[in-house]
């Protein structure tokens, strides 16, 4: 009688992340399912390693990026595109693609950055401005979306897009009117305070703190309900080491919006001093 063979056991390996014993052939699948963030990072790193080792032309790198885009691997696409040399002849497309993918990843600041770089290369390309307006809309920056759409000369736009632009503007303008009413401001006052807020924020990012405070105070003179202005003033005073003024402004901001996380977190930091 023939001896019955037992089922051959697959060789196991310990998962380097959680220590669980997993069959060697299934280790990748285990990491992908049980440790998705680490799997994503390792996959990106593997792609970047190949990009460094292989001598691909910029056109080939773009092809690789587009292949990952088709597969829905959005996080890998920007990393690949950043290997393309600035001298590449179609950087407008590269920057626009970066903007599109980063917008999908909800990285709105970087998406805006690359769309603006594309627009700087061709200010007359209307599709880029439409896309930038879409990024602003997706990030709930209605004011910037309206400003961008109003810059477009509709007479130069493909007729198929006329209705889209008009309907989007009408919808966003309606939302802006509602916001202005909630603040008891006219539409003009609301837009002025918004522009001053953006100026103040940009000054703050550059480290021009005193000029930034002045801008935020100008916002508050128009719109006393601007708790982000108070929050930013409080944050600046923290950086300047004036903790009493920082606390005063942050507490005011939090009293206006109890869910204002920035003010809450900074006040917790101040409590340690």
């Amino acid at each position: 009688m023939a001896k019955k063979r037992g089922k051959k056991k697959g060789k196991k390996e310990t998962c380097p992340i959680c220590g669980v014993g997993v069959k060697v052939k299934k280790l990748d699948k285990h990491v992908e399912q049980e440790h998705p963030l680490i799997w994503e990072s390792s996959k990106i790193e593997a792609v970047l390693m190949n990009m460094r080792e292989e001598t691909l032309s910029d056109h080939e790198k773009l092809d690789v990026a587009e292949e990952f885009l088709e597969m829905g691997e959005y996080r890998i696409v920007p990393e690949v595109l950043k290997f393309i040399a600035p001298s590449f002849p179609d950087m407008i497309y590269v920057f626009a693609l970066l903007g599109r993918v980063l917008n999908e990843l909800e990285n709105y600041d970087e998406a805006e950055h690359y769309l603006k770089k594309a627009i700087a290369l061709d200010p007359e390309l209307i599709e880029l401005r439409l896309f930038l307006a879409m990024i602003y809309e997706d990030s709930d920056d209605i004011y910037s979306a309206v400003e961008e759409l109003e810059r477009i000369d509709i007479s130069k736009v493909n007729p198929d897009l006329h209705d889209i632009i008009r309907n989007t503007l009408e919808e966003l303008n309606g939302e802006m009117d509602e916001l202005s009413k909630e603040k008891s401001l006219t539409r003009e006052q609301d837009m002025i305070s918004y522009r001053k807020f953006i100026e103040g924020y940009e000054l703050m990012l550059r480290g021009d703190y005193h000029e930034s405070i002045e801008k935020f105070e100008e916002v508050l003179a128009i719109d006393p309900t601007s708790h982000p202005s108070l929050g930013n003033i409080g944050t600046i005073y923290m950086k300047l080491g004036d903790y009493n003024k920082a606390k005063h402004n942050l507490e005011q901001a939090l009293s206006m919006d109890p869910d204002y996380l920035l003010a809450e977190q900074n006040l917790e930091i101040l409590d340690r001093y």
Side-chain angles (χ1 to χ4, degrees):
M1 186 175 176
K3 187 177 180 182
K4 191 175 181 180
R5 291 185 179 181
K7 190 174 181 182
K8 189 177 179 181
K9 291 183 179 180
K11 188 178 178 183
K12 285 193 173 183
E13 188 171 323
T14 301
C15 171
I17 302 159
C18 64
V20 170
V22 184
K23 287 183 180 179
V24 172
K25 290 182 178 178
K26 295 185 177 180
L27 183 58
D28 283 352
K29 196 70 178 174
H30 166 81
V31 175
E32 181 180 4
Q33 291 177 345
E34 302 299 325
H35 315 288
L37 292 178
I38 292 172
W39 170 257
E40 188 74 22
S41 299
S42 63
K43 191 163 54 173
I44 291 172
E45 187 53 43
V47 171
L48 297 185
M49 191 177 294
N50 286 336
M51 295 293 292
R52 293 185 195 105
E53 291 174 354
E54 294 182 26
T55 53
L56 299 177
S57 70
D58 285 332
H59 285 285
E60 288 171 324
K61 291 170 188 173
L62 184 56
D63 288 341
V64 170
E66 288 176 330
E67 284 174 19
F68 279 115
L69 183 64
E70 286 178 15
M71 291 188 290
E73 299 283 0
Y74 294 116
R75 293 191 182 279
I76 298 179
V77 177
E79 303 303 326
V80 174
L81 290 174
K82 288 171 186 176
F83 275 92
I84 294 176
S87 57
F88 184 64
D90 197 3
M91 283 308 293
I92 293 174
Y93 178 73
V94 173
F95 289 146
L97 188 56
L98 272 164
R100 172 188 166 190
V101 174
L102 290 163
N103 190 53
E104 288 287 341
L105 294 169
E106 298 183 5
N107 189 341
Y108 300 121
D109 288 342
E110 271 206 82
E112 176 191 0
H113 169 73
Y114 283 108
L115 253 295
K116 284 184 172 179
K117 289 186 81 165
I119 289 170
L121 293 174
D122 188 353
E124 301 303 315
L125 194 56
I126 289 164
E127 288 80 0
L128 295 175
R129 293 202 175 276
L130 281 172
F131 191 19
L132 182 57
M134 185 183 79
I135 290 171
Y136 288 137
E137 187 179 3
D138 287 348
S139 63
D140 294 325
D141 187 351
I142 298 170
Y143 302 96
S144 294
V146 169
E147 282 194 328
E148 204 58 48
L149 288 172
E150 287 179 342
R151 287 193 182 105
I152 295 171
D153 183 352
I154 203 165
S155 66
K156 297 180 180 178
V157 178
N158 185 316
D160 294 340
L161 297 174
H162 285 189
D163 287 342
I164 294 173
I165 294 172
R166 287 197 190 98
N167 292 339
T168 304
L169 264 174
E170 185 178 340
E171 181 183 335
L172 293 176
N173 278 320
E175 289 182 36
M176 283 182 64
D177 288 339
E178 287 298 318
L179 288 170
S180 298
K181 284 177 187 175
E182 287 175 14
K183 301 174 190 175
S184 300
L185 300 175
T186 65
R187 172 71 175 273
E188 185 181 1
Q189 287 174 320
D190 203 11
M191 285 302 293
I192 291 169
S193 70
Y194 162 74
R195 291 190 186 105
K196 288 183 180 294
F197 182 89
I198 295 298
E199 288 172 21
Y201 188 73
E202 288 173 351
L203 286 165
M204 182 173 73
L205 292 179
R206 292 203 298 267
D208 297 327
Y209 294 134
H210 295 290
E211 294 89 340
S212 179
I213 288 172
E214 287 176 11
K215 283 295 174 187
F216 289 130
E217 286 176 344
E218 288 175 19
V219 174
L220 290 163
I222 299 168
D223 177 14
T225 68
S226 178
H227 62 274
S229 294
L230 286 165
N232 287 335
I233 290 172
T235 301
I236 291 170
Y237 277 126
M238 280 181 70
K239 291 178 182 293
L240 295 174
D242 192 334
Y243 301 129
N244 288 330
K245 285 185 178 179
K247 187 174 183 181
H248 172 72
N249 281 279
L250 291 167
E251 284 177 343
Q252 275 193 295
L254 198 60
S255 69
M256 289 182 185
D257 181 4
D259 296 322
Y260 188 25
L261 189 60
L262 174 69
E264 186 179 340
Q265 290 173 337
N266 282 338
L267 281 168
E268 286 176 4
I269 294 169
L270 284 173
D271 285 341
R272 297 173 198 159
Y273 289 94

